[in-house]
C-alpha cells in the first residue's frame, strides 16, 4: 500500500502552477508493516484524473541518488521526488501522481491533485488512495 506524506496527504490538493512540489510516500505491506528496503518502482505524474487508461505522463522519476531522481531514505522508508512544474510548461487542470511497479507496470497507489495558476488552496480533505 502507498501512504502519501505531506504536503500531499489527501486528494483534491491544489498546487500553484510554476512551483516545485516534493512528492513523498511510503510503502507498506498488506499487513501494515513499513517496507524499509528499496523496491523496484517508479513514480509518474499523469495528466487528468485516475482512470483506465491513465492520461499521458507529463513527468516521471526512476530510482537514483540525485534531485532529478526518485530517492529513497532507508531511515524513514520514504521515497521523494521533486515535481518542478515551472520546467514542464504544464496547463492548469487535474493531474494524478502514480506509483508503478517497475517490473509489472501495475499501479500500486495514486493521488490526484489540481495544478492552478491561482494561489494554493486545498479543495477538501478526501482520503488518499
Amino acid at each position: 500500500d502507498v501512504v502519501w506524506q505531506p504536503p500531499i496527504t489527501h486528494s483534491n490538493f491544489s498546487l500553484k502552477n510554476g512551483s516545485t512540489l516534493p512528492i513523498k510516500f511510503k510503502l507498506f505491506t498488506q499487513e501494515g508493516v513499513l517496507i524499509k528496503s528499496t523496491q523496484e518502482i517508479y513514480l509518474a505524474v499523469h495528466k487528468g484524473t485516475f482512470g483506465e487508461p491513465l492520461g499521458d505522463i507529463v513527468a516521471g522519476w526512476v530510482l537514483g541518488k540525485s534531485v532529478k531522481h526518485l530517492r529513497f531514505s532507508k531511515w524513514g522508508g520514504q521515497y521523494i521526488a521533486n515535481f518542478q512544474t515551472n520546467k514542464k510548461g504544464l496547463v492548469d487542470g487535474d493531474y494524478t501522481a502514480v506509483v508503478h511497479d517497475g517490473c509489472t507496470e501495475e499501479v500500486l497507489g495514486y493521488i490526484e491533485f489540481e495544478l492552478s495558476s491561482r494561489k494554493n488552496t486545498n479543495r477538501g480533505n478526501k482520503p488518499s488512495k
Side-chain angles (χ1 to χ4, degrees):
D1 291 334
V2 176
V3 177
W4 301 96
Q5 304 296 301
I8 302 179
T9 56
H10 56 79
S11 290
N12 295 326
F13 179 86
S14 183
L15 170 67
K16 183 165 176 44
N17 200 347
S19 63
T20 298
L21 172 68
I23 300 175
K24 303 174 187 178
F25 60 92
K26 294 181 179 184
L27 297 177
F28 289 82
T29 66
Q30 290 180 346
E31 294 77 28
V33 177
L34 176 65
I35 299 173
K36 294 183 181 179
S37 60
T38 307
Q39 302 299 299
E40 193 61 39
I41 61 169
Y42 68 94
L43 175 67
V45 172
H46 297 263
K47 177 70 176 122
T49 56
F50 188 81
E52 295 294 334
L54 285 166
D56 292 337
I57 294 177
V58 298
W61 301 266
V62 295
L63 290 168
K65 296 188 183 209
S66 80
V67 295
K68 295 181 179 182
H69 291 93
L70 178 62
R71 297 164 326 271
F72 179 71
S73 167
K74 292 180 183 177
W75 300 277
Q78 179 173 268
Y79 294 86
I80 183 170
N82 294 329
F83 181 36
Q84 297 177 330
T85 65
N86 57 341
K87 295 184 178 181
K88 302 290 181 191
L90 302 174
V91 298
D92 288 358
D94 292 322
Y95 291 83
T96 305
V98 181
V99 178
H100 294 270
D101 182 297
C103 299
T104 66
E105 305 290 316
E106 177 185 359
V107 172
L108 302 176
Y110 69 94
I111 194 162
E112 298 169 346
F113 60 93
E114 177 190 28
L115 188 61
S116 174
S117 296
R118 65 183 187 276
K119 186 179 176 185
N120 286 9
T121 58
N122 289 329
R123 298 186 299 171
N125 194 7
K126 193 166 119 183
S128 62
K129 295 162 180 75

